[in-house]
Amino acid sequence: MKVTSSASFGLLRTLTKAPLFRPNARTVFATPNSEDNLVQAAVSTVIFKDETLEKIILMKREKPPNMHFWTFSGGSVDYGETIATATTREVKEELEIDIILPPNHVFHVADVLPTPGKPLSPHFNVICSVSYLSPDYREEIEKMDLSNGGSVLKVSELEELDNDKCIPDLKKLVRRAIQLHSIDYFQ
């Protein structure tokens, strides 16, 4: 299915709202190619060590965009893949850890513009989820050498991170996830 950015805003809004209520809905976004400015779904997950929300797992990107910035694990959603499957797959690929997704894990859908200087790059819609480490990793996580520059940080230390070294809205998204957790949104 081809969806061009010039004619798809209403359709895009419809497609991206579905996962908020049905996280296992299959995506119907196009796979980008060099001839079209297409819409592509991507996932990003805020990974907490456990339900206490005291520690978070972030990674430093080793490639563009946002190279050397603190960010969440994530990436493109493959055609026909669920948001939940894409989220767990990306975390496993990037950090080599397993996560648990609560039932209402999707909490934010961000519209992200094409990469500057690349007019034919795909237009990404990033779907943000919250997750917790699998119990198998909770005791050992701080001793593990996480691939891709992953690091365990105390949530209280987030404010000390230099904003110029974080992806846009990183701190805001963590605060939003914590706020929603406090009202049992993820239960």
Side-chain angles (χ1 to χ4, degrees):
M1 173 180 178
K2 278 189 162 186
V3 182
T4 61
S5 62
S6 60
S8 66
F9 188 73
L11 176 61
L12 173 64
R13 299 281 299 159
T14 302
L15 295 175
T16 57
K17 285 183 180 178
L20 290 172
F21 304 106
R22 300 180 310 141
N24 292 319
R26 302 250 176 233
T27 60
V28 290
F29 293 90
T31 302
N33 69 42
S34 61
E35 298 174 16
D36 297 308
N37 190 10
L38 299 177
V39 175
Q40 173 71 42
V43 293
S44 186
T45 187
V46 178
I47 308 170
F48 291 103
K49 180 178 175 185
D50 55 36
E51 292 83 351
T52 65
L53 311 184
E54 293 173 0
K55 295 190 177 178
I56 188 168
I57 297 167
L58 297 175
M59 56 183 270
K60 273 202 173 176
R61 286 199 47 98
E62 297 298 323
K63 59 184 179 181
N66 300 319
M67 191 150 96
H68 306 301
F69 279 48
W70 287 106
T71 187
F72 306 114
S73 179
S76 296
V77 179
D78 294 337
Y79 181 80
E81 188 175 38
T82 68
I83 300 304
T85 302
T87 300
T88 55
R89 176 185 52 76
E90 284 291 340
V91 171
K92 188 70 169 179
E93 286 176 7
E94 293 180 348
L95 297 172
E96 298 178 5
I97 57 176
D98 294 321
I99 57 171
I100 297 170
L101 293 169
N104 299 318
H105 62 91
V106 173
F107 72 95
H108 182 76
V109 177
D111 200 24
V112 182
L113 299 175
T115 306
K118 295 184 178 181
L120 297 180
S121 67
H123 181 93
F124 283 91
N125 235 79
V126 180
I127 299 149
C128 296
S129 296
V130 69
S131 64
Y132 310 109
L133 279 179
S134 168
D136 300 341
Y137 294 95
R138 289 181 185 173
E139 296 301 318
E140 298 296 318
I141 191 66
E142 294 179 58
K143 299 176 199 164
M144 292 173 64
D145 178 24
L146 297 174
S147 62
N148 225 1
S151 186
V152 179
L153 298 173
K154 291 182 180 176
V155 171
S156 60
E157 297 171 343
L158 275 180
E159 292 305 318
E160 297 170 22
L161 285 180
D162 184 354
N163 284 334
D164 293 338
K165 293 294 179 187
C166 297
I167 60 161
D169 295 335
L170 180 135
K171 295 173 187 178
K172 183 171 93 175
L173 288 170
V174 172
R175 283 192 297 270
R176 179 79 173 130
I178 291 170
Q179 176 188 31
L180 290 170
H181 188 276
S182 70
I183 59 169
D184 293 333
Y185 175 84
F186 300 115
Q187 306 309 315

